[in-house]
Amino acid sequence: LYMEYQLFASLVKHKFEFKIILSKELDYLVFGINPVYELQVDYYDIPKHELKLIDGLSLKITEGILLGAESEFKYEIKGNQSKSIFSVGPTLSVGSSTIWLNTGVLFNLIDNAMKLRFLLSFYL
């Protein structure tokens, strides 16, 4: 389980994120699925709700290198308006027992948008 709180520099905008991280490793394959709920509250605006389902599949090339793909389905609700977005793209993970880097690119072909992400983890 994962929870995140973000306070923006304006001090009137807040974001809450709740996520369940589920994964299974089978020999050379790693599966993952993450249901996510986000709430963005702004003192001067209508709250925005986001429901996401993020999933991925990776193949172990070596013990420290994984190649894979992920997809994200997002449903946004703000007032009376809603929007759904589906994105898909490749991922690369590299690391050891103390440090891990995961990077990926998600392409949304409907809106011609791209999201690039980097996750860096340290294990103590």
Side-chain angles (χ1 to χ4, degrees):
L1 295 171
Y2 171 87
M3 192 200 95
E4 179 180 314
Y5 168 74
Q6 187 175 7
L7 175 62
F8 291 81
S10 66
L11 302 179
V12 296
K13 189 174 179 182
H14 308 268
K15 184 171 108 174
F16 303 88
E17 179 180 334
F18 304 92
K19 182 188 293 186
I20 299 171
I21 301 170
L22 303 168
S23 68
K24 180 69 176 172
E25 191 172 325
L26 302 169
D27 292 327
Y28 292 97
L29 289 175
V30 179
F31 304 91
I33 188 164
N34 303 324
V36 180
Y37 170 71
E38 287 184 16
L39 172 63
Q40 192 168 312
V41 181
D42 188 326
Y43 184 74
Y44 301 105
D45 202 0
I46 298 168
K48 180 171 92 170
H49 303 268
E50 287 185 6
L51 298 168
K52 294 189 230 178
L53 186 59
I54 305 165
D55 62 346
L57 173 66
S58 293
L59 177 65
K60 280 187 186 178
I61 304 303
T62 67
E63 192 56 38
I65 300 174
L66 287 87
L67 290 175
E70 70 180 350
S71 68
E72 176 183 277
F73 174 75
K74 179 166 55 170
Y75 185 68
E76 297 178 356
I77 304 166
K78 187 171 182 179
N80 297 345
Q81 299 179 343
S82 64
K83 176 176 157 181
S84 57
I85 300 167
F86 179 74
S87 304
V88 65
T91 61
L92 170 66
S93 300
V94 226
S96 68
S97 61
T98 56
I99 187 169
W100 198 261
L101 171 67
N102 177 276
T103 183
V105 181
L106 284 171
F107 298 99
N108 176 344
L109 301 178
I110 296 169
D111 294 340
N112 281 332
M114 179 179 78
K115 180 165 81 171
L116 178 64
R117 63 167 184 73
F118 295 94
L119 300 171
L120 184 60
S121 302
F122 297 97
Y123 299 98
L124 304 174

